[in-house]
Amino acid sequence: MHTPELLSEEKVFKDPVHRYVHVRETLIWDLINAPEFQRLRRIKQLGTSYLTFHGGEHSRFNHSLGVYEIMRRILETFEGRIALSREEQLLCMCAALLHDVGHGPFSHSFEKVFRFDHEDWTRAIITGETEINRILRRVGEGFPQKVAEVIAKTYENKLIVSLISSQIDADRMDYLLRDAYYTGVNYGNFDIERILRVMRPHEDGIVFKFSGMHAVEDYIMSRYQMYWQVYFHPVTRSAEVVLRKVFQRAKELYQAGYSFAIYPHPLAPFFREQFTLADYLALDEGVVLYFMQQWKAEEDPILKDLASRFLDRNLYKYVEFNPRNFRMIAELKELFAKAGIDPAYYVEVDSTSDLPYDFYRPGEEEERIPIMLRMPSGEMAELSQKSEIVESISGKRRFDYKLYFPLDKVRTLPEPVCRAICECLGVDEGC
Ligand code: ZN
């Protein structure tokens, strides 16, 4: 049966960030209704951030719709300015909608322990045997491959790639606004209407009219603030450390032949590090949290303790850590081991870093496409040359190292042991 290209009536989703998300294409509507896409409703956008900012419980489904909507609006403003074919327009919208489709439950912690990259799963879902693939193939046999290439940034048309991944793109604009909205913080806000109005296609990329520079500046600053205030929040990172330790312990027990009170069927392929697309799609945060709840009553004292810590939000405390202080970490691990607390699960250094904006540095590891302004004279200028605010943070990578440990456990130790550990950590915690 032939599927009509346009819906008989436009569909709208009410959205707290963009007010409405408009869907006119049958293709987009069908993709949203595919089970692989609906699964994103059961995966939180911000992982463990809800344990710090309780409003941050929004899903990847929400965010994906938002990125699609921004892309749809960009294409609208480009109309008459650049000739994109209908297939190219669909390509932009599909890539925007599906760019995060391969995310799994608690993505970052889960991927680290089970050693895979969600980007590989995004590609597998788009090009493999899925409902999403069947829907995309209606456009053409090679269409799913093109969508995967745009998301992987290897597609030949760099303008299309930059709309979804560059230093200012539909993905970032949506997550900054959305994450700020749901966490309730003020820093993530910027004037997206104005940015979209001054955005122009130019050769193989995008430029911004100089008159809109302050809106772009504001976007860069909100990005900077959101990273340090929300995404890298030390309590969120503590929850991630504990979560990683839960997965690590469960995996280790499984590999050692431990018999779980309830056999973790959906997780077993991951513990074996041999999983299929079907195994991956069967997972969501509900499944993971169900087993976490079971593990609270497990016989293994470490798994039981870690699962309870995560569910009851009894997280690790942290101290600032100098990454060159190898002696301190060795000494600390020894003190923990002597006190009968396994340092493999209860001491962890977590590091993070961010580069808020960078101009083009050819040949560097992470080459970044700079944000270009079109001056009233018609000349082009790179943003940090015109904006003093952006110049002040350009190319400056900021690092942060923290050492995480369970202070409550240390406090239960005999006084001299507790004191020795606190001294080693440089904290005064009243043993
Ligand atoms: Zn995204």
Side-chain angles (χ1 to χ4, degrees), residues 64-125:
S64 301
L65 283 188
V67 179
Y68 152 80
E69 174 62 15
I70 294 179
M71 182 64 84
R72 196 192 63 75
R73 291 185 196 174
I74 292 175
L75 295 175
E76 239 172 38
T77 66
F78 281 9
E79 249 166 58
R81 294 199 161 95
I82 187 171
L84 285 176
S85 68
R86 177 165 162 77
E87 190 189 311
E88 284 170 324
Q89 294 195 7
L90 286 174
L91 185 56
C92 290
M93 289 191 279
C94 292
L97 187 71
L98 301 175
H99 77 287
D100 273 346
V101 81
H103 271 286
F106 302 108
S107 276
H108 303 295
S109 320
F110 204 81
E111 285 173 30
K112 258 195 185 165
V113 178
F114 301 110
R115 292 189 291 201
F116 65 88
D117 188 339
H118 68 263
E119 288 177 10
D120 297 336
W121 291 104
T122 299
R123 196 174 322 117
I125 292 168

Side-chain angles (χ1 to χ4, degrees), residues 15 23 80 90 136 201 216 218 246 251 258 272 283 310 328 340:
D15 184 81
V23 180
L90 286 174
L136 291 172
V216 178
D218 207 22
V246 176
K251 179 179 164 189
Y258 177 84
R272 288 194 293 268
L283 277 193
F310 185 76
M328 180 242 205

Side-chain angles (χ1 to χ4, degrees), residues 44-58 60 106-109 179-180 182-185 226-240 243 285 310 313 315:
K44 282 190 280 295
Q45 171 72 7
L46 285 181
T48 60
S49 290
Y50 70 101
L51 291 166
T52 311
F53 300 94
H54 63 256
E57 297 223 12
H58 54 301
R60 298 238 172 234
F106 302 108
S107 276
H108 303 295
S109 320
D179 299 343
Y182 282 98
T183 54
V185 302
M226 282 297 282
Y227 270 77
W228 290 102
Q229 307 279 352
V230 177
Y231 304 135
F232 297 158
H233 195 287
V235 175
T236 305
R237 283 159 60 195
S238 175
E240 249 170 57
L243 192 56
E285 286 173 5
F310 185 76
R313 198 185 176 280
L315 306 173

Side-chain angles (χ1 to χ4, degrees), residues 61 90 177 332 345 394 396-397 415:
F61 178 88
L90 286 174
L177 291 175
L332 188 72
Y345 296 104
S394 264
K396 289 182 188 137
R397 189 173 281 280
E415 202 206 302

Side-chain angles (χ1 to χ4, degrees), residues 288-338:
V288 170
L289 289 170
Y290 168 79
F291 283 100
M292 206 88 86
Q293 192 69 255
Q294 301 302 323
W295 296 340
K296 256 181 109 169
E298 263 302 338
E299 218 165 282
D300 178 70
I302 295 181
L303 184 60
K304 183 186 167 118
D305 176 60
L306 293 169
S308 310
R309 279 179 186 276
F310 185 76
L311 289 179
D312 305 337
R313 198 185 176 280
N314 179 19
L315 306 173
Y316 292 174
K317 292 285 178 263
Y318 61 89
V319 289
E320 300 298 327
F321 178 72
N322 173 355
R324 278 180 292 253
N325 201 345
F326 300 113
R327 241 187 53 204
M328 180 242 205
I329 186 96
E331 194 185 325
L332 188 72
K333 285 186 172 173
E334 211 184 299
L335 286 167
F336 265 70
K338 264 193 210 159

Side-chain angles (χ1 to χ4, degrees), residues 21 32 34 55 64 104 109 152 180 204 217 267 303 312 320 326 341 355 374 377 380 395 407 426:
V21 172
I32 292 170
S64 301
S109 320
D204 54 359
E217 259 178 357
L267 295 169
L303 184 60
D312 305 337
E320 300 298 327
F326 300 113
I341 303 175
L355 184 56
R374 180 189 284 155
S377 64
M380 296 295 163
L407 179 64

Side-chain angles (χ1 to χ4, degrees), residues 153-197:
K153 301 185 236 180
T154 54
Y155 189 65
E156 54 189 9
N157 184 334
K158 295 302 166 207
L159 166 70
I160 294 180
V161 172
S162 71
L163 293 178
I164 186 83
S165 40
S166 62
Q167 298 199 75
I168 182 162
D169 60 37
D171 181 24
R172 288 185 186 199
M173 284 195 273
D174 184 79
Y175 73 63
L176 291 175
L177 291 175
R178 191 167 301 277
D179 299 343
Y181 175 87
Y182 282 98
T183 54
V185 302
N186 275 325
Y187 350 93
N189 278 313
F190 57 89
D191 189 350
I192 186 169
E193 306 293 327
R194 178 105 186 102
I195 291 184
L196 295 184
R197 211 167 306 133

